[in-house]
Structure formats: structure tokens, C-alpha cells
Amino acid sequence: MQYREVLAALKRDDLEQADMFAILKAVSRFVNDKGSIAMGRDLIIRLLARRKLLDEFETRILTSLVRAVGLYPYMSEVLEFAEVDDRMAYELHRPDNIPEVFHSLQARIYYQLRSGVNVVLSASTSVGKSLVIDAIIALRKHRKIVIVVPTLALIDETRKRISQKFRDFCNVITHPSQTAQSGMVNVYVLTQERVKQRIDLSNVDFFVIDEFYKLDFKREEDNQRAVDLNLAFHRLASTGAQFYMLGPNIQAIKGLDKYEIHFIPSEYSTVAVDVFTYNLPTQGDDRPNKLVEICQSLSTPTLIYCQGPTSAMRVSRLLMRECMRETVPACAGAADWIADSYHPDWIVAEALRHGIGIHHGGVPRALQQNMVRMFNDGLLSIMVCTSTLIEGVNTVAENVIVYDRRRNNKVLDFFTYRNIQGRAGRMGRYFIGNVFLLEKAPDDAEVSVEYPVGLQDADTPLTLVMQLDDDALTDESRTRLADALDRNFLSAATVLKNGSVEPAIQDLLAREMFQIMQQDPTVFSWKANPSQAQLIAACRLMVRHLWSIRTKGLGVNSPEHLAWYVRALGSSDGMKGYLLQITQGLDSKEEISRKVDEGMKILRNILTFKFPQDLMVVSSIQAELAQRLEIAAGDFGFFAETVENMYLPALLVALEEYGLPMPIGRKIQGFLSPFNDLNDVLDQLRAFNVGNAEDLSAFEWSLIEAIQGGV
């Protein structure tokens, strides 16, 4: 039997026990041929899904075949049928100090890392790359470990996993206010931005870069995030620490010649995937109709990928209208709470009533975490999501529907599509994942990743060059940097301090600011809270000089508009008051919901992230210019921090990362003793008795208790 014949046979609904021996015989030929072992592994995974049709003798054969392709974790279910040598091989793939069993690729990586080799791994999402990190931690060989992840959602996921496994000897650090503890293995789980904030990473033993393809400016939409990741890797690697870099679907990496690495590009997979492509047009009713048809035929957990919040809203409304008309009682408490705490007409609450989760950049992080928890626990059968969920967060989904062929209005490339596809199926839960691609599939393409620090040329951003040590620069980079600093209106010290901003942009901003300060010495002299005119003046410089087209596309159209949002965030009614101001005067539910999504994205991407950063750039520039003009200087640090923390105590805001939504945090704040650091807050949260707060709803009780288990 040829591969396609065996595949077709295993997919038949009328497959019978009498057919299985012939299928096993055919599969064994693929397994025993090095040129076809990948196809053999795929067929074995599909055989495992039909294992009930095998008798005891045939199960013994399957067990040996599972061993032959290295899928040892799958042997646990059939270990009673295994021969002695198969059992021995199974036990030999169990790492020290943790109960899990490795498959052959994990074991290969583990033993290389254990021997001190730097490993760069490219493998699919389902391979279980993170388990190797856990096994390295469990060795207790390294006392200081740094894990760099691209998102705060992944910080939370990684922190929970490590804390729950190794709480007795690991101190997990995720927030700038936390410190190392002597006598413990200190594991720092940080985004690249937070690596820059730490001053205690000079003696790291081992570090991990997750999703390492984001080092490459071609692969990362946000250049500044790519710069920060490059700086994080350079800083950590310069300590001489051993490293492990991991990511999906990459065939080559360039620019790491300075380091001894073992690059492993692997097609190894622990799940099989069936792909259904429909080639439907972008416009018209064909895609919505096909989506409804597919969803009506599915009964297992399904992710639906959309290009952005507006598309996610339309898809959710379509599903509520055509597929999921009935409300789900188990979701009512969460939906009621979201409607009451954020906005009653927000699609996130409405969809949740019908068992549909929504996950995108406009949904607060704590709600994102709760959506994933509800989806993985089976309370939600459908999760409508954007790239915020696709990139890294672990979900248990059998099906992935790629509704849109775009990401932020750009057509998906093959790399991103494969990353989305990798979310279908889950080792140990769903042997076979299903991917439904409604539009045309992207063309196949090989992907290579470039590490810009090791490949500096005339196109390397000066924002990266400025923040590297001199000994890391090439002669060309030194010349470019010297030229940029020599002709700048500002001193080299100020330009380098604002390293995230191109020197030419700082120059233009400083020249305009200098003229303003000559005419009015008080406009930038404030130190606490600015007047409205002072705030608008600062916003005008930020929008004109520091904002990219991407930032301006988030919905803030002018300096006055930005200042309005900054003030609205300080509403005495918190998040609810902020959203009510944003939606005031709107009538239709769809328009209101779209505005809530927009307001949430502005909050996350601008008000609590870009605005504080840019305001501190403006602050440092005015400080130099004030000294030059011999006038009183301002200091915008207090106000930047106030807005960054949404006018709330910083440590209360930090709890959002641990899954505690801000509205609940404000409710229980009075029941917590005054606190000085995040560890103190977490200790109190862990010990908090929800029964003491009588005004908490049943949903709030359950959410706090769920968080306590993972803190």
C-alpha cells in the first residue's frame, strides 16, 4: 500500500478490525526506511487515533512502531502491551527529577543542553519545546536562569508552569520590582523590554530566547521590539551563559558566527494535521457561509483566526446568529461581570454568553487569561482570536479555521500560516488536528532568520547601533554613529540616553522644542501634573516626531485627541468610566463595541506603553535644553508613571499580569495590608480569604481562587 492509500484507509469511517494488520504491515515499511520515516510517524499517530480497532497482538506491534519513531510519550497508554526492550527504551527517555517522558527530539535537545552545548531549535508548536526548559531547571545545575518571551501572556503561562512544578526550590521573577533570593534557583521570565530594565543579569548561567525569529527585522513588524530582543540576546550572550533558542518553521539562521551553536531545523511532529483549503474569494458571502457550515459540523474545541478585532466581532455575531443561538449557563457569570465592569454592549460579553471566547489585543490581559482557561477547560467550544493567541499561548484545540488570509491588512506569508496551522491538534489530547483555510493558501517558502548584531551593515537601524557596546560595533557602524552624533543639536549623552529613537528624529524634535522654550520658558517646566496646555504641547511633539504610521492607525488622530484619552483614563470610575466616556453618544451595539475595542487597544498600546516612553524622551530632551537656556527644567517622570499605571497603585496594576482584572483588584485592595513590594502583594493574594469580601460575586470568587492556585 502506498502512503496515500494507507492515509485514505485510516480516514474511513467504516474501517474494521480485519483491515488493521495489513495497515500495520504497510506502515512498518515506511518506519523502517530512513527516507520515509516522517510519513511513517504521521501514519502511526493516525493509527493511535484508531487504536480501539487493534487486538492485543496488533497493539504490541503498534507499541514497537511507536518506539521506532521516537514517540515515547504515546507509549504510556499502551505500556502494558510493550515488550521488555520497549519498556526499557521508554524509561531511558525519562529525564531526571521530573515525571514526564521525552520523545526522541526532546531527548536529543536535553542531552545536548545538559552537556553545555548552545542549541538553536526550529520545530513545530506541538513538539513540546518548553518541557526541555523544565527539565534543565529540574537539574538544579544552573542557579540563575533567564527565559525571554515575546509577550506578557507568555510570561504568565511560563510563570504558572514553573511555579507549580518547582515552587519548593525556584524563585520566579517576572516584574521589575521583584528581586533574587539567595539559596533558591532564580528564574527570570521576562519580555525583551524587561531584560533592559534589570541591573542584576551580569552573572546568568543559562538563558532561553523563545520565538527567536523575532530577532530579524524582516519577521517582526515592530522594529523597536526587534531592537530590544537583539539587545537582550547580545547582553545575555555576552555574559558567556549557555543558551537555548527556540521557534517554528525556520530553515537557517545567520549572524551567530561568533557563538558555537548547534542548529536543529526539525520537521518532527507529535500530531498529524489534515488541511482543507477552499480558495474562496475575500469579498462576498462565500466565506461567511462556509464558516457557518464548518462550525455546524464540528463538536470539538475550535480556534477561528481573524485578522483583527473588527473581523473577530463580525465572526462572533455571525456565529451567534447562525450556529450558537442558545446561551450557555456556565458562562453567564463571567459574561455578566464583563458587561458590568467594562461595558454592557461589548461584544466580548455578549459572545461569551453563547459559549464563544474572543481573544485579541483589545481584551485586557487578565480576561485573555480567563478566556484561555475557560477554553482549555471545555467551557468554551469556540475561540475567535487574532495573532495574540496564535503566537505562543498554549491552547487545547482540535480544529483551526483560518477565516482571514491577512494579518493587520497584510497577506499572511507561509511562515505565519504554518505557525497558525501548528495550533491544531495537541499531544495527548487530539492525535489529529484539522485546519480549514477558507482562502487560498500562501505559497510554500523557506525561512531564514538573520541576527542583525552579527550582520551589521548600512541598513542596521541606528537605534540598535546606539545601544551596543563599542566592542560589539563594526567599523562601519562606528562611523555611522559618530556622524549622527556629531551633527546633532543635542549632546551625545542625551541622544544615547534616548537610544530607542533615531538620532535624526531627536534632532528635529529638539530644534522645535528649543524654539518653543525660547518663546515660553514655562511650557515644559512642569514636574508633577501638567496643565492642559502643557500636556497638549508635549503630545504635539510626540505625535509629530515619535509616532509611526502604525501608531497613528490605532485611532488617535491628533495631539488634542491623545491628551483627551490621557485625561479620560483618570476617570474616578476606573475602566468602566473610561469606556463610558469613549462610547458616549453612540447608539448601535456594533458601533459601541467597535469603539470599546479601539479604546482598549489605545489603552494597551499607547496610554500604558508608548505614551510614557515617549514622554520620558521629551523630558530628557527638555532637561538639556533648559540647562542650555538657563531656565527651570521640568521632570515628567511622575506623570509618565501615573499614566502607565492607569492612575492606580503600580503593584495593584501588576496583578493584572497574574490574572486579576483591575476592577476586582480595586475591590479587594482595602482587604490587603499596606504593601511594599510585589512578593508581599502575591503572598497576601495567595492567602486571601474570599469570604471576607462580601460584595464579591460568585464569578469574582471563582476567578480569585483560580488565580491563587497559580501564584
Side-chain angles (χ1 to χ4, degrees), residues 36-74:
S36 61
I37 193 169
M39 289 187 286
R41 186 182 300 111
D42 177 78
L43 293 173
I44 285 171
I45 294 169
R46 295 173 186 276
L47 264 168
L48 286 163
R50 309 301 297 268
R51 186 170 67 84
K52 291 181 179 179
L53 294 174
L54 299 175
D55 62 23
E56 182 175 330
F57 174 70
E58 290 164 341
T59 302
R60 290 182 186 277
I61 297 174
L62 176 60
T63 304
S64 292
L65 291 174
V66 169
R67 173 194 169 184
V69 296
L71 289 169
Y72 294 95
Y74 283 138

Side-chain angles (χ1 to χ4, degrees), residues 248-431:
N249 312 316
I250 295 155
Q251 285 71 47
I253 183 165
K254 303 173 184 177
L256 291 177
D257 298 345
K258 178 180 176 181
Y259 308 98
E260 292 185 9
I261 65 167
H262 188 181
F263 177 54
I264 304 175
S266 176
E267 294 296 322
Y268 197 98
S269 182
T270 58
V271 297
V273 177
D274 288 331
V275 180
F276 306 90
T277 305
Y278 298 96
N279 296 313
L280 299 176
T282 301
Q283 304 299 324
D285 295 331
D286 290 345
R287 275 194 310 139
N289 291 340
K290 177 57 70 174
L291 176 67
V292 169
E293 178 187 324
I294 293 169
C295 289
Q296 288 175 338
S297 70
L298 300 174
S299 58
T300 51
T302 301
L303 295 177
I304 302 176
Y305 171 78
C306 298
Q307 65 176 330
T310 300
S311 179
M313 178 177 67
R314 290 172 183 155
V315 163
S316 299
R317 292 200 185 283
L318 174 67
L319 296 178
M320 286 188 287
R321 188 170 63 247
E322 301 294 337
C323 303
M324 306 179 75
R325 298 185 183 92
E326 301 298 322
T327 57
V328 179
C331 298
D336 289 344
W337 183 85
I338 292 171
D340 182 61
S341 302
Y342 295 89
H343 200 288
D345 293 325
W346 193 20
I347 185 64
V348 172
E350 190 177 351
L352 193 58
R353 295 188 198 283
H354 294 261
I356 302 169
I358 296 179
H359 192 296
H360 57 64
V363 178
R365 293 183 183 97
L367 295 190
Q368 289 181 354
Q369 292 175 31
N370 192 54
M371 291 286 182
V372 172
R373 181 164 50 241
M374 293 175 73
F375 182 74
N376 288 342
D377 290 346
L379 294 174
L380 305 175
S381 59
I382 288 178
M383 182 81 84
V384 181
C385 66
T386 62
S387 59
T388 57
L389 184 61
I390 293 300
E391 292 184 345
V393 180
N394 284 321
T395 53
V396 181
E398 184 171 17
N399 316 296
V400 171
I401 303 173
V402 184
Y403 181 74
D404 290 317
R405 190 174 172 249
R406 291 158 299 285
R407 178 186 176 188
N408 296 330
N409 297 316
K410 293 183 179 178
V411 175
L412 292 179
D413 58 15
F414 183 72
F415 172 82
T416 307
Y417 161 64
R418 283 291 302 274
N419 206 6
I420 296 171
Q421 178 180 310
R423 295 291 157 188
R426 192 73 184 167
M427 184 168 66
R429 288 286 292 272
Y430 300 108
F431 293 106

Side-chain angles (χ1 to χ4, degrees), residues 8-54:
L10 287 170
K11 289 182 178 182
R12 279 171 31 208
D13 292 333
D14 61 349
L15 186 65
E16 296 180 355
Q17 195 278 329
D19 302 319
M20 298 307 289
F21 187 79
I23 290 175
L24 280 166
K25 184 177 179 181
V27 171
S28 68
R29 289 200 298 271
F30 290 103
V31 170
N32 292 318
D33 184 339
K34 287 185 178 180
S36 61
I37 193 169
M39 289 187 286
R41 186 182 300 111
D42 177 78
L43 293 173
I44 285 171
I45 294 169
R46 295 173 186 276
L47 264 168
L48 286 163
R50 309 301 297 268
R51 186 170 67 84
K52 291 181 179 179
L53 294 174
L54 299 175

